[in-house]
Amino acid sequence: MNGNHVMTSPTINSSKQVNTVRWVVTIAAIALIFDGYDLVVFGTIVSTLLADPSQLGQLDAAAAGLLGSYALLGVMVGALTTGAVGDYLGRRKVMLTGIIWFSLGMALTAFAPDSFWFGILRFLTGMGVGALVATAGAIVAEFAPKNRRNYYNAIVYSGVPMGGVLASLLAMVLTDLIGWRGLFMIGALPLLFLLPMAWFKLPESPQWLLSRGRVAEAQEMSARTGIVLELPIDAKTENVKAEAVGFAALATKRYALPTALLGMMSFAGLLLTYGLNTWMPEIMLQAGYGKSHSLLFLLVLNLAAVFGGLLASVAADRTGPKQVIAVTFFLAALAMVLMTLKLPLLLLLALVAVAGVGTIGTQVLIYGFVSNYYHSAARGAGVAWCAGFGRLGGIFGPLAGGMLLSAGATPGTAFYVFAGVAIVGTLVTTFVPMSRSNALQPARELLVTGTEK
């Protein structure tokens, strides 16, 4: 192709890039805050549903665990569907569709007349959540500066525990005023403010356009947004062609093994995330703590994950995410074993905080690891695979917790089971081959449209 495109200076690129990255990160983070809200708000109302059959009918712990898993099954379906089509459709279209779908699902769930419809609507809402979770990491990885991608990814995916904090706080303050149905209506608010924001401020990814062989469009979008395009070190701009896309790319010799291992890491991370968020209040209630204390544990679990995940992401950008994830998984296991002891409240809260960093915070790091592991044409599918396959762990977590409690298992037994999962996560992480990671592949930047650096 010719080089008659408008030149963009590095200075303009830099200032435009900062503004673009701010909008992309803000939009993606807010979307995931409400995803996290959706995750945790169910955990805050489980005790109410169990105690009051007039809400959705008679429920026991196993049935409640099954209801909690419906949303996660929807997330899995939504994420895997997004993985199949997202790398073809583009990041912007998927994000906009996910925001609409998720918000409408939350609103309709607030009017569920019984557990049957509640479960169906939770499944459908989960599909929208899956689309957003699977796309957020891909879009941040393609807009963020290369040396800060884990950090920006952590900001975005920390929206999940931040949403958990929001759900815990609002449940403490508003449950008696608006009930559980009102809490679900709050989850529909993105339709009113986030959708317009994304419509006007979320651009398509130039790197995705380039990966599809749409070079002219990629260069034009690069000039508009200030986002620098990257090519493999041995490629020529005029020879760029569409790469193997989506799940087909994950099945290649380069990515097959790491895809399996990354999926298992996400399985462990999401089993712990959803298992603890769903059952932590009830486990602590059965351990003898009051309802206010049990919700406090849930608040600390998620709040620690936000700040701990951000700190860990800085370390991941400096030393690599693989080592950091292995350590945080191990710390979670250690904390949960110690939580089985009779300890003073403050020390117990500190251990809950460590567990939050090592479970929910670790899952934040896993998304960043995955987002940067794959090249652009496979990135959406890679994140979708880990979000989707990982949701099997997310589905199993609430079910396992419900079955353990229904069988009369002690709170200590539940924590031992979760600690064992964290140890498995540590071991799997150590086997991921970094030699195949896109983050370590040499590349050069296209600082000007049609001009290589």
Side-chain angles (χ1 to χ4, degrees):
M1 63 176 296
N2 62 47
N4 297 326
H5 299 283
V6 179
M7 181 174 290
T8 307
S9 74
T11 302
I12 294 177
N13 257 337
S14 178
S15 61
K16 286 183 178 180
Q17 183 187 39
V18 169
N19 186 58
T20 300
V21 170
R22 283 175 179 169
W23 276 112
V24 169
V25 169
T26 298
I27 291 166
I30 293 174
L32 293 195
I33 284 173
F34 278 89
D35 288 353
Y37 180 90
D38 171 75
L39 157 67
V40 175
V41 74
F42 179 72
T44 68
I45 69 168
V46 165
S47 297
T48 299
L49 298 180
L50 290 173
D52 186 359
S54 68
Q55 299 299 323
L56 293 174
Q58 188 68 47
L59 295 173
D60 57 18
L66 187 61
L67 282 180
S69 296
Y70 285 152
L72 308 182
L73 182 61
V75 173
M76 181 183 72
V77 173
L80 293 177
T81 301
T82 298
V85 302
D87 284 321
Y88 292 91
L89 297 178
R91 316 304 184 207
R92 173 181 159 85
K93 290 178 182 177
V94 175
M95 285 291 289
L96 292 173
T97 302
I99 292 169
I100 295 170
W101 191 296
F102 162 79
S103 301
L104 289 176
M106 286 293 283
L108 292 172
T109 304
F111 296 97
D114 53 37
S115 59
F116 174 79
W117 283 105
F118 184 87
I120 288 177
L121 290 167
R122 291 292 288 155
F123 172 81
L124 293 174
T125 303
M127 290 181 65
V129 173
L132 292 174
V133 171
T135 307
I139 200 168
V140 170
E142 291 171 2
F143 280 94
K146 191 168 186 178
N147 64 341
R148 304 201 75 192
R149 285 176 181 168
N150 283 292
Y151 176 69
Y152 280 115
N153 188 86
I155 291 177
V156 169
Y157 279 101
S158 289
V160 175
M162 286 175 66
V165 171
L166 180 64
S168 300
L169 290 174
L170 291 181
M172 290 179 182
V173 176
L174 297 178
T175 299
D176 291 338
L177 297 175
I178 63 176
W180 70 266
R181 297 180 188 275
L183 293 175
F184 272 80
M185 285 301 296
I186 290 173
L189 290 177
L191 195 63
L192 301 180
F193 75 96
L194 184 59
L195 179 61
M197 185 189 302
W199 184 271
F200 291 106
K201 292 295 184 178
L202 184 67
E204 185 52 88
S205 162
Q207 197 67 37
W208 175 80
L209 291 169
L210 185 66
S211 75
R212 299 299 296 132
R214 294 158 63 175
V215 179
E217 293 175 70
Q219 292 175 325
E220 180 184 356
M221 187 61 72
S222 176
R224 283 174 51 195
T225 61
I227 301 300
V228 177
L229 294 171
E230 294 178 358
L231 276 177
I233 197 71
D234 57 348
K236 296 295 183 181
T237 309
E238 61 271 18
N239 295 328
V240 171
K241 298 179 180 178
E243 304 173 78
V245 179
F247 288 127
L250 303 190
T252 60
K253 182 178 179 181
R254 174 182 175 183
Y255 285 139
L257 174 62
T259 293
L261 294 172
L262 292 168
M264 286 187 279
M265 288 168 59
S266 187
F267 181 97
L270 286 170
L271 187 154
L272 295 169
T273 296
Y274 283 82
L276 290 175
N277 268 307
T278 300
W279 289 111
M280 176 73 80
E282 188 66 21
I283 290 172
M284 290 308 189
L285 275 173
Q286 293 194 15
Y289 296 92
K291 184 172 183 179
S292 60
H293 276 104
S294 65
L295 289 176
L296 176 62
F297 288 122
L298 193 62
L299 177 63
V300 170
L301 184 80
N302 285 278
L303 197 59
V306 174
F307 294 103
L310 289 173
L311 288 174
S313 72
V314 175
D317 276 325
R318 293 178 178 175
T319 65
K322 176 179 172 178
Q323 299 91 321
V324 177
I325 291 170
V327 170
T328 54
F329 259 138
F330 178 78
L331 289 176
L334 180 61
M336 285 186 285
V337 168
L338 294 176
M339 283 163 59
T340 63
L341 305 176
K342 295 293 184 182
L343 299 171
L345 180 61
L346 287 180
L347 182 55
L348 185 58
L349 288 171
L351 290 172
V352 171
V354 174
V357 175
T359 55
I360 306 169
T362 295
Q363 185 60 33
V364 168
L365 296 175
I366 290 172
Y367 281 128
F369 189 18
V370 173
S371 298
N372 294 301
Y373 197 93
Y374 297 97
H375 60 65
S376 184
R379 184 169 288 132
V383 179
W385 158 253
C386 287
F389 181 77
R391 254 45 185 202
L392 290 175
I395 292 166
F396 187 71
L399 285 175
M403 288 187 291
L404 285 170
L405 295 180
S406 294
T410 65
T413 301
F415 284 132
Y416 283 132
V417 171
F418 287 136
V421 173
I423 290 295
V424 172
T426 301
L427 295 175
V428 172
T429 302
T430 62
F431 288 104
V432 177
M434 292 306 298
S435 60
R436 305 183 193 184
S437 171
N438 186 69
L440 300 183
Q441 301 301 313
R444 73 179 178 284
E445 299 174 346
L446 306 182
L447 288 180
V448 290
T449 55
T451 304
E452 301 172 10
K453 179 182 178 182

